[in-house]
Amino acid sequence: QVQLVESGGGSVQAGGSLRLSCEISGDTYSPYCLAWFRQTPGKQREGVVVIDSRGDSTYYADSVKGRFTTSQDNAKNTVYLRMSSLKPEDTAMYYCAAYSPWRGPCTVVPVAYKYWGQGTQVTVSS
């Protein structure tokens, strides 16, 4: 079992920055795929970042590439999402999610993720 708790959302003007945190508890020893998803009302959940703990690889969606970066504090079991040059279209509820992969690369498909946080709202005003 894994528990995920996001924090760090808020309101910011376009061009600003925010850092989201995802604190992981429970089984933190198994290999995992961890992703940041975002969702706005009426739209499908979009995977913006996927982290593969097995190979130290990270996927960034084209929509955030060059503006979002991830980092980890293993001592705190926390993954961070640093969001810079924010745009109004980045406004969404942001979720971190995780699953233990059997084999193959991590996926960006939401249905594969077993564990989800409660979400944190990011609002970017123009």
Side-chain angles (χ1 to χ4, degrees), residues 24-35:
I24 308 164
S25 60
D27 179 10
T28 59
Y29 298 101
S30 299
Y32 60 86
C33 297
L34 187 139

Side-chain angles (χ1 to χ4, degrees), residues 79-103:
V79 175
Y80 301 100
L81 180 65
R82 176 71 176 178
M83 307 184 296
S84 302
S85 302
L86 283 163
K87 305 174 182 179
E89 51 263 45
D90 294 318
T91 295
M93 184 72 80
Y94 283 73
Y95 301 88
C96 66
Y99 74 100
S100 296
W102 177 243
R103 57 184 175 184

Side-chain angles (χ1 to χ4, degrees), residues 18-113:
L18 282 174
R19 189 182 76 165
L20 306 184
S21 300
C22 176
E23 184 176 356
I24 308 164
S25 60
D27 179 10
T28 59
Y29 298 101
S30 299
Y32 60 86
C33 297
L34 187 139
W36 287 95
F37 289 88
R38 64 185 182 186
Q39 189 170 27
T40 54
K43 292 190 176 181
Q44 288 189 334
R45 200 162 285 191
E46 175 192 13
V48 294
V49 178
V50 179
I51 302 164
D52 188 338
S53 74
R54 298 166 296 175
D56 199 26
S57 65
T58 305
Y59 157 88
Y60 293 92
D62 288 343
S63 57
V64 306
K65 202 172 292 184
R67 301 187 298 120
F68 290 13
T69 58
T70 64
S71 61
Q72 297 177 224
D73 185 333
N74 292 329
K76 296 182 178 179
N77 287 328
T78 300
V79 175
Y80 301 100
L81 180 65
R82 176 71 176 178
M83 307 184 296
S84 302
S85 302
L86 283 163
K87 305 174 182 179
E89 51 263 45
D90 294 318
T91 295
M93 184 72 80
Y94 283 73
Y95 301 88
C96 66
Y99 74 100
S100 296
W102 177 243
R103 57 184 175 184
C106 294
T107 180
V108 72
V109 177
V111 70
Y113 288 76

